[in-house]
């Protein structure tokens, strides 16, 4: 962008020196703006706006060729949509209002178009600021009003409405799922009244169900609403009148997320939904097929329900076998491994055989997770993986074996740069002070506080503590592309000892 802007200045200087054939016009100014947008430079929004102001000043001084166009304004809005500045949404909305004011006053024949309004909606949606969904919805209402007054070029469509639903889904506002569903119903009403451009589709429904899965309210009600929406999708699709409302894997995964938050019959409902997905896939019906997210969520439910560690391990092995048989979508993600470790840590049986089995599962699972991370950048242990492994060890064994396994697990945690306060607290709670000091290479006579220990940890031990795990909504296909073929690790796990 800097080179483009430098060339623009050279053209301006050449024109001022008398070379009339190189006079910059709005197309050239807009091209420089686009260069800034593509650069994703943090100052892109500011620079695009400064170029717009320069165009406007030239135009007011009599240079008609420099007249700002709708594209000029939209470029500024596009740059703001990529900005992480918290003030970007307010600025974008102000620019939109400025466009309307300029046209109303006759200063500039500029008319905001569908892109202008949609981009501002997108800026508010991406910001996730408190009240952003309401602001985005207000812009949609303004579009609808202008359209009904005769501005046919501003007719909202399915994408516009779906973006507002998404804004509510990610807003964390308590009324978010209800608001999302109200907008969905509004789309159906408009479609029934003859506006075919706002017919809901699969993405629209999936976003509403996802809003319910993120609800902070009654989980039982959230699941009930999700199940109603899922059933409605099937009915509409089977009617033959709504081919674009087709239940998909994402639909079922969002519903499974609702089940995960419930307490009543959680496990039986999860099993029923998983069987329904497998049945639909077996019938080649719709686009429903369990994937890595499905399996990881189900494993998490098993852990929450205190299922035996051996059962969680068996299910994990099933997903690995499916992947090795050619089902790329079944590739287990880190949450699957982490859930098995959690099932081990949650084991509370006094039966010695059950405890030994759970300990073996914990050792094998962490080993498999670390092996998977060595061949893929999309899957790796995280802080919670080590916390759950250490907790499993502390509750399932004792004596020299406990010390050996805790020390080895902590060593691996250090190698991965994931030592945090939670990891240290788990270590301190499970082992005598003198042993902890030996593991941490600290002098037991110094009587250091936990805060002091954390402050003085080697940077190599904590280098990845702020690393975010892969997003759980990453598609199974994307996960598989970056995940080398899993070998049959279940038969060649190395002992942590």
């Amino acid at each position: 962008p800097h080179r483009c802007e430098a060339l623009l200045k050279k053209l301006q200087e050449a024109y001022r020196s008398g070379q009339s054939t190189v006079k910059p016009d709005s197309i050239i100014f807009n091209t420089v703006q686009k260069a800034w947008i593509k650069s994703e430079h943090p100052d892109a929004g500011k620079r695009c706006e400064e170029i717009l102001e320069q165009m406007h000043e030239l135009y007011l001084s009599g240079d008609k060729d420099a007249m700002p166009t709708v594209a000029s304004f939209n470029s500024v809005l596009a740059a703001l949509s990529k900005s992480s500045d918290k003030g970007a949404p307010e600025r974008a909305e102000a620019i939109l209002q400025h466009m309307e004011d300029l046209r109303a006053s006759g200063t500039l024949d500029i008319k905001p178009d569908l892109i202008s309004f949609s981009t501002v909606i997108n800026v508010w949606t991406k910001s996730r600021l408190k009240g952003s969904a309401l602001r985005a919805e207000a812009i949609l209402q303004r579009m609808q009003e202008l359209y009904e007054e005769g501005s046919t070029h501003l007719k909202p469509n399915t994408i516009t409405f779906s973006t507002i639903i998404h804004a509510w889904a990610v807003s964390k506002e308590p009324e978010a799922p209800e608001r999302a569903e109200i907008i969905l119903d509004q789309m159906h009403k408009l479609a029934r009244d003859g506006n075919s451009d706002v017919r809901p589709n699969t993405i629209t429904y999936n976003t509403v169900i996802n809003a319910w899965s993120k609800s902070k309210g009654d989980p039982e009600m959230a699941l009930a609403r999700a199940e109603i929406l899922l059933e409605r999708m099937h009915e509409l699709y089977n009617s033959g009148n709504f081919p674009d409302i087709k239940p998909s894997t994402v639909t079922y995964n969002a519903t499974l997320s609702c089940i995960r938050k419930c307490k009543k019959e959680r496990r039986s409902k999860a099993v029923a939904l998983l069987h329904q997905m497998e049945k639909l896939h077996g019938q080649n019906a719709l686009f429903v097929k369990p994937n890595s997210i499905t399996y990881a969520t189900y494993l998490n439910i098993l852990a929450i329900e205190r299922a035996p560690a051996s059962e969680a391990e068996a299910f994990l092995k099933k997903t690995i076998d499916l992947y090795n048989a050619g089902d790329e979508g079944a590739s287990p993600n880190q949450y699957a491994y982490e859930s098995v470790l959690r099932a081990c840590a949650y084991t509370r049986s006094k039966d010695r055989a059950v405890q030994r089995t759970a300990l073996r599962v914990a050792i094998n699972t962490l080993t498999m997770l670390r092996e998977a991370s060595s061949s893929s950048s999309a899957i790796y242990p995280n802080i919670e993986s080590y916390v759950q492994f250490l907790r499993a060890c502390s509750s399932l064994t004792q004596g020299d074996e406990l010390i050996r396994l805790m020390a080895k697990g902590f060593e691996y945690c250090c190698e991965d740069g994931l030592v945090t306060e939670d990891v240290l607290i788990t270590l301190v709670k499970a082992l005598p002070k003198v042993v902890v000091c030996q593991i941490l290479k600290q002098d037991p006579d110094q009587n250091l506080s936990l805060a002091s220990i954390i402050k003085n940890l080697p940077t190599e031990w904590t280098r990845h503590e702020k690393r975010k795990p892969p997003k759980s909504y990453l598609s199974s296909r994307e996960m598989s592309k970056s995940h080398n073929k899993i070998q049959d690790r279940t038969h060649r796990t190395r002992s942590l000892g």
Side-chain angles (χ1 to χ4, degrees):
H2 295 93
R3 291 179 64 186
C4 287
E5 197 156 347
L7 287 171
L8 173 61
K9 289 179 180 178
K10 284 184 178 181
L11 289 174
Q12 290 175 310
E13 290 170 0
Y15 176 71
R16 283 194 292 267
S17 67
Q19 299 181 44
S20 59
T21 58
V22 293
K23 181 183 180 184
D25 59 11
S26 59
I27 296 175
I28 293 177
F29 281 100
N30 292 347
T31 302
V32 177
Q33 285 183 315
K34 288 178 182 177
W36 276 107
I37 295 169
K38 290 181 180 179
S39 73
E40 298 189 0
H41 191 282
D43 291 332
K46 179 182 177 182
R47 292 302 304 133
C48 284
E49 194 165 351
E50 288 173 353
I51 292 169
L52 174 63
E53 291 172 357
Q54 184 182 358
M55 294 173 70
H56 197 196
E57 289 173 4
L58 288 169
Y59 173 72
L60 292 177
S61 66
D63 187 351
K64 303 302 180 183
D65 292 332
M67 184 182 76
T69 64
V70 175
S72 308
F73 283 89
N74 286 349
S75 290
V76 178
L77 296 175
L80 288 171
S81 74
K82 295 184 177 183
S83 173
S84 58
D85 186 353
K86 290 185 178 180
E90 291 282 2
R91 188 63 199 138
E93 191 166 344
I95 290 170
L96 180 65
Q97 184 61 53
H98 184 50
M99 293 173 73
E100 293 190 89
D101 292 343
L102 286 172
R103 178 174 175 78
S105 66
T107 306
L108 196 63
D109 187 17
I110 199 82
K111 184 162 57 175
D113 59 11
L114 186 61
I115 294 175
S116 310
F117 278 89
S118 298
T119 305
V120 178
I121 287 173
N122 192 43
V123 176
W124 274 114
T125 300
K126 287 176 65 177
S127 75
R128 303 195 181 189
L129 296 170
K130 186 173 180 60
S132 59
L134 201 58
R135 295 290 289 270
E137 188 174 344
I139 296 170
L140 171 63
Q141 291 172 351
R142 174 64 176 155
M143 287 178 69
Q144 190 70 23
E145 290 170 1
L146 290 170
Y147 167 69
E148 291 173 357
E149 291 171 3
S151 299
T152 56
H153 67 292
L154 292 178
K155 184 180 183 181
N157 55 30
T158 299
I159 295 175
T160 318
F161 278 88
S162 295
T163 302
I164 303 300
I165 290 175
H166 177 67
W168 280 111
V170 300
S171 70
K172 297 182 180 179
E173 302 284 357
E175 72 273 25
E178 288 89 351
R179 292 297 309 169
E181 198 163 339
I182 287 171
I183 296 169
L184 173 64
D185 292 340
Q186 183 183 353
M187 292 176 72
H188 272 297
K189 182 180 183 303
L190 289 169
R192 285 195 301 271
D193 291 343
N195 188 352
S196 60
D197 290 337
V198 295
R199 284 166 64 95
N201 57 25
T202 298
I203 294 174
T204 314
Y205 269 85
N206 287 350
T207 307
V208 177
I209 295 175
N210 187 49
W212 281 112
S213 76
K214 297 178 184 298
S215 171
K216 301 297 183 182
D218 180 4
E220 308 299 333
M221 184 185 78
L223 174 59
R225 294 306 311 162
E227 289 176 332
I228 288 171
L229 290 167
L230 175 59
E231 182 62 28
R232 187 196 300 176
M233 289 180 75
H234 278 287
E235 291 174 356
L236 292 172
Y237 178 74
N238 291 333
S239 72
N241 297 321
F242 295 88
D244 293 331
I245 301 180
K246 183 182 298 186
S248 66
T249 298
V250 175
T251 317
Y252 276 84
N253 283 348
T255 307
L256 189 61
S257 291
C258 290
I259 293 174
R260 184 179 65 83
K261 292 185 176 182
C262 291
K263 293 183 179 180
K264 298 178 182 177
E265 303 176 352
R266 174 167 41 203
R267 185 171 175 181
S268 61
K269 289 178 179 177
V271 170
L273 192 74
L274 181 59
H275 286 170
Q276 186 178 1
M277 293 180 73
E278 291 172 337
K279 180 181 178 181
L280 289 170
H281 175 60
Q283 296 172 345
N284 292 319
L286 308 176
F287 289 109
V288 177
K289 179 183 180 183
N291 62 13
S292 60
I293 297 172
T294 316
Y295 295 135
T297 306
Y298 181 76
L299 278 167
N300 188 251
I301 290 171
L302 289 182
I304 295 171
E305 287 290 297
R306 303 293 196 269
S310 56
E311 183 180 344
E313 180 190 40
F315 193 85
L316 176 62
K317 287 181 178 179
K318 171 187 172 181
T319 67
I320 293 174
D321 289 342
L322 287 170
Y323 181 74
N324 287 330
D327 184 355
E328 293 188 356
S331 172
N333 59 31
Q334 76 177 65
Y335 297 100
Y337 292 100
E338 183 186 305
S339 293
V340 177
L341 289 169
R342 194 180 297 273
C344 298
Y346 286 175
T347 300
R348 293 294 180 266
S349 174
K350 301 297 182 181
D351 188 305
R352 185 62 177 163
V354 172
Q355 291 179 344
R356 297 306 295 176
T357 297
L359 183 63
R360 174 191 59 77
V361 172
I363 293 171
N364 288 351
T365 302
L366 182 61
T367 301
M368 287 192 293
L369 175 55
R370 296 191 83 240
E371 287 182 352
S373 68
S374 67
S375 61
S376 169
S377 61
I379 179 171
Y380 43 76
N382 61 13
I383 295 166
E384 196 62 23
S385 306
Y386 283 107
V387 168
Q388 295 304 328
F389 173 76
L390 295 175
R391 285 176 179 170
C393 293
S394 67
S395 66
L396 296 172
T397 188
Q398 54 190 337
D400 290 343
E401 184 179 52
L402 172 62
I403 295 172
R404 176 171 55 81
L405 290 174
M406 294 285 279
K408 198 65 178 178
F410 185 75
E411 177 187 328
Y412 286 160
C413 188
C414 293
E415 287 179 7
D416 291 336
L418 292 169
V419 178
T420 63
E421 183 177 352
D422 287 343
V423 173
L424 290 174
I425 288 175
T426 307
L427 200 69
V428 169
K429 285 183 177 180
L431 299 173
K433 176 183 175 182
V434 64
V435 176
V436 173
C437 289
Q438 288 175 354
I439 293 174
L440 296 176
K441 299 179 176 60
Q442 300 279 346
D443 183 354
D445 295 327
Q446 285 188 345
N447 198 27
L448 295 174
S449 66
L450 186 62
S452 297
I453 293 173
I454 293 171
K455 184 178 180 180
N456 295 307
L457 287 174
T459 54
E460 278 295 298
W461 290 11
T462 61
R463 66 187 186 279
H464 289 149
E465 65 171 322
K466 294 182 180 179
R467 180 174 66 180
K468 293 182 179 180
K471 293 181 179 180
S472 61
Y473 53 78
L474 194 65
S475 75
S476 58
R477 187 172 186 81
E478 291 171 320
M479 187 72 75
S480 297
K481 281 182 178 178
S482 58
H483 195 303
N484 291 334
K485 191 77 170 177
I486 295 179
Q487 303 301 318
D488 191 2
R489 302 190 189 96
T490 56
H491 299 302
R492 58 180 183 82
T493 52
R494 298 193 308 271
S495 170
L496 282 168

